[in-house]
Amino acid sequence: MERGRTGVFPIMRCNSIFLAICLALSTSLVQAETCTSPAFAVNGLQLDTTAVDGTLARKKALSQATADAFAIIKRRLLLPTQPTADQLDELAFADFIDFIHIESETALAQRYIAEIDICFDPVRLRDQFIKSGLLWSELFSSPVLLLPVWQDPSGIRVWTRNVAWLDVWRQMDAQDDQLLRFTILTPDLALERRLPPERIRNYDSSILALSAAAAGAQQIAVLFAGLEYTGDVPKLIMKADLFDVDGKFLSEINAVETDMNGRTNMPEAFSYFREDFITTLSGIWQEKNLYTLEDRADIHVELPVSNLQSWYRLRTLLSELPIVQSLSVVKLTSSSGLLKLSLSGSVEALQMAVRSIGYRLEVAGAVYQLKLDTS
């Protein structure tokens, strides 16, 4: 029997033959529905398919959209390089659908156009992952701010437009296809005055903290690239370092040096580095936040209590965090309350999530204390 976070869903199971019929019956019932487990949702799928008649076009479009959405879920949740993951492609994807929400649709004589959201059933998919012996994560990260920096003989640039290294990060796909969430600051004069490029390049912790606050991020990735002319052959240097919300160094993610020997394609090198950075950091996030079948070790969190209203508010804030699997009250006094939390990820991920709602989670002996973040 599976243990872990589960949810209750309005279930309408459809095999591939009856998918279109089930859709016709169910979509009117889920116009206001949202996926209880966001990691299992694929939103904003654009459908535009032609066939010999409108009914066949609709069926063909929905079948392809289901396959595309299932592929996105696989990439998002499963750890890479698991050979048994390929076996999932042999399954009837429609059997794992909880519901499909049609945002808009146009049915023509030989064409079907629509925008849809697909929510897969977490319970059925988890059960299949377990049967296939797969490892996965389903916890979205708090936002990670991307701060690209370019340096060449003309100077250091962060906010300049039409610089290839900076643009390759600004043009990242905004679709929610992965658990690791990124954000980036839009260049403007006010930001450049507050966040000077030279101080970002020098990893000034106070400036990095200001950058995180401006973006509402919980971590910062400083993405440096530059040309170095100290040797016989110029070098392209690319480096990615990760910092916490206070600008404290956490780790180096990637570092690459390439000789500029006349054969180096810089835009291609930038794209490869970006993909390698995303893959590496996403892998780290997934491995640290694996969905486990064993009973999780609970943590205890102490909350400040000034009145019952504040007590209920803080309890609600914590219970609504995606990482909190379950929550129960251990003790309540006139000045504090003690909660037991079961998590669907790491304590570090909980600390980042708590920072995103304006609080800090600090170790205090055998418990964690929830405190207002005054920074």
Side-chain angles (χ1 to χ4, degrees), residues 44-115:
L45 290 165
Q46 303 293 324
L47 285 59
D48 189 348
T49 305
T50 58
V52 293
D53 61 56
T55 301
L56 187 59
R58 186 176 194 269
K59 181 178 178 180
K60 181 179 175 183
L62 292 171
S63 176
Q64 184 59 54
T66 301
D68 293 343
F70 196 83
I72 289 172
I73 292 296
K74 280 180 55 183
R75 289 195 302 271
R76 179 190 293 168
L77 304 185
L78 297 179
L79 264 66
T81 64
Q82 298 186 81
T84 54
D86 293 337
Q87 298 174 7
L88 298 178
D89 295 334
E90 301 172 7
L91 302 173
F93 307 139
D95 288 343
F96 298 96
I97 291 178
D98 184 12
F99 65 82
I100 295 181
H101 175 212
I102 297 181
E103 290 284 348
S104 63
E105 66 175 349
T106 302
L108 303 174
Q110 294 181 316
R111 186 179 181 188
Y112 181 73
I113 305 168
E115 179 182 345

Side-chain angles (χ1 to χ4, degrees), residues 209-228:
L210 279 175
S211 302
Q218 298 304 307
Q219 291 185 328
I220 310 108
V222 179
L223 307 153
F224 171 79
L227 299 173
E228 184 179 278

Side-chain angles (χ1 to χ4, degrees), residues 320-356:
E320 291 178 348
L321 294 174
I323 189 173
V324 177
Q325 179 182 353
S326 64
L327 176 153
S328 60
V329 179
V330 177
K331 182 175 65 174
L332 177 62
T333 70
S334 60
S335 60
S336 67
L338 188 65
L339 299 175
K340 182 170 72 173
L341 274 61
S342 293
L343 308 180
S344 58
S346 63
V347 175
E348 291 80 5
L350 174 64
Q351 288 175 316
M352 284 195 294
V354 164
R355 288 293 292 269
S356 72

Side-chain angles (χ1 to χ4, degrees), residues 124-135:
R124 278 179 261 163
L125 260 184
R126 289 181 189 129
D127 184 58
Q128 185 59 54
F129 290 164
I130 293 165
K131 288 177 181 176
S132 302
L134 295 168
L135 299 175

Side-chain angles (χ1 to χ4, degrees), residues 139-179:
L139 179 67
F140 283 110
S141 75
S142 298
V144 177
L145 172 63
L146 302 177
L147 266 183
V149 180
W150 172 255
Q151 183 173 10
D152 60 20
S154 66
I156 300 170
R157 284 172 280 183
V158 172
W159 309 115
T160 311
R161 297 182 185 275
N162 301 318
V163 174
W165 173 255
L166 306 182
D167 289 343
V168 79
W169 299 99
R170 294 172 186 154
Q171 294 165 0
M172 285 182 62
D173 191 344
Q175 286 193 339
D176 298 333
D177 287 355
Q178 56 192 1
L179 295 174

Side-chain angles (χ1 to χ4, degrees), residues 194 205-206 208-214 216-218 220 244-247 351 354-362 371-375:
R194 290 178 58 207
S205 60
S206 63
L208 296 184
L210 279 175
S211 302
Q218 298 304 307
I220 310 108
D244 70 12
V245 70
D246 299 313
Q351 288 175 316
V354 164
R355 288 293 292 269
S356 72
I357 59 173
Y359 288 85
R360 287 179 181 266
L361 200 62
E362 298 179 354
K371 297 182 178 180
L372 191 66
D373 187 3
T374 57
S375 61

